[in-house]
Amino acid sequence: MPESSGETETNERVTDSQGSLSTHKIVSLISQFADDHLTLVRYISTGLAVAGVIAIARSIKLVTTFQAASEIPARFIERNVSLRGKVHSVTERGLEVEHVPIYLPVISPILSKCKGGCTSLMLVHLVGVELTPQGRVWLQKNLAPAPTVWLKLISREDDMLHCLVSQSRQGSMWSYCLNEELLTLGLARTAPLVGVLPDSSLYWRLLKRLHRAEVKAERKGRGLWKQDSLWERASKVVMDNAVFRLMRRILKKTHD
């Protein structure tokens, strides 16, 4: 005989009730396991969280130590990202800088152990600046011993990075741009902006910024723009005059 509607509803209720009991039983078992192994669950959760953060940090190169200019992603150059570094020496080609990535308490030690802790220096050129010998001496004096600097990436050329280099002033929380400082002191002159498109807004911003610093040094007569005083220029003209030289020779012979 076919089942009545009442019997069908009763069977469905029994089935739903059994399903609810099974689900409740599973949840209870999981909860009981978590309570009994609370420390293990915490370790697993922490491990998964750390693994997730490491994966994200690696994907965006947050804690990556760059050993050479070629290792820096192109998007970092395009977006003019700033990197932290430590200056090791000042050479005729530029600054030799060790990249110092952002430090994360748990992740950074793990990654440094995986890489073995080896370091390599990157060659950095102060963009838009041609140093004088005095400017190189000034850098060697002010960038010792191994200060921390910020490198604003402008362009890349083979193994060299062209950057705006900034450093914190001693006893101050404010930083200053070494490119501008050298030009302002008359220890360098402006140079072509390598790797920057002339029709880009970045090109004109940099050009205006560096040119303004150079003009300031020229107006104040600093460094390579220093001029002799009026008395020094007049004395030089007199000393170079042919008549004056002849008179000196005559007087010298007379005394002899």
Side-chain angles (χ1 to χ4, degrees), residues 68-86:
S70 58
E71 295 182 2
I72 298 176
R75 67 177 185 275
F76 278 35
I77 308 291
E78 295 168 359
R79 298 174 184 174
N80 306 126
V81 172
S82 292
L83 301 178
R84 188 173 59 165
K86 185 178 292 185

Side-chain angles (χ1 to χ4, degrees), residues 7-150:
E7 291 177 348
T8 303
E9 291 178 1
T10 302
N11 291 335
E12 290 178 353
R13 288 177 183 174
V14 171
T15 303
D16 292 341
S17 177
Q18 290 176 348
S20 299
L21 288 173
S22 299
T23 304
H24 180 70
K25 189 175 182 180
I26 292 172
V27 172
S28 298
L29 289 173
I30 294 174
S31 300
Q32 184 64 38
F33 178 83
D35 292 337
D36 295 341
H37 303 83
L38 186 59
T39 303
L40 177 61
V41 172
R42 286 177 178 173
Y43 283 150
I44 292 174
S45 301
T46 303
L48 291 174
V50 171
V53 173
I54 290 176
I56 294 172
R58 278 182 168 175
S59 65
I60 62 175
K61 304 291 185 180
L62 182 64
V63 292
T64 301
T65 301
F66 300 121
Q67 305 286 342
S70 58
E71 295 182 2
I72 298 176
R75 67 177 185 275
F76 278 35
I77 308 291
E78 295 168 359
R79 298 174 184 174
N80 306 126
V81 172
S82 292
L83 301 178
R84 188 173 59 165
K86 185 178 292 185
V87 179
H88 282 252
S89 64
V90 179
T91 68
E92 291 186 359
R93 294 190 65 196
L95 310 179
E96 291 186 339
V97 182
E98 173 192 353
H99 175 224
V100 181
I102 295 174
Y103 183 84
L104 298 178
V106 178
I107 300 171
S108 296
I110 295 175
L111 294 179
S112 62
K113 287 180 181 179
C114 294
K115 288 195 171 185
C118 60
T119 57
S120 181
L121 303 180
M122 298 187 297
L123 188 61
V124 175
H125 177 261
L126 278 70
V127 67
V129 168
E130 180 186 345
L131 287 175
T132 63
Q134 294 79 11
R136 190 171 294 107
V137 172
W138 185 89
L139 279 177
Q140 291 170 343
K141 180 180 178 181
N142 286 270
L143 293 179
T148 298
V149 296
W150 285 95

Side-chain angles (χ1 to χ4, degrees), residues 200-218:
S200 65
S201 59
L202 175 63
Y203 180 90
W204 292 106
R205 285 202 309 271
L206 288 175
L207 191 66
K208 182 179 178 180
R209 182 175 174 180
L210 298 176
H211 180 67
R212 184 167 56 237
E214 186 177 44
V215 169
K216 186 182 295 184
E218 188 175 359

Side-chain angles (χ1 to χ4, degrees), residues 164-198:
L164 288 174
V165 183
S166 299
Q167 180 189 26
S168 297
R169 294 187 184 276
Q170 291 185 352
S172 173
M173 62 180 293
W174 305 108
S175 62
Y176 66 101
C177 177
L178 293 178
N179 307 55
E180 290 180 284
E181 188 74 6
L182 286 162
L183 290 170
T184 303
L185 295 174
L187 300 176
R189 54 173 57 88
T190 54
L193 299 172
V194 178
V196 185
L197 296 176

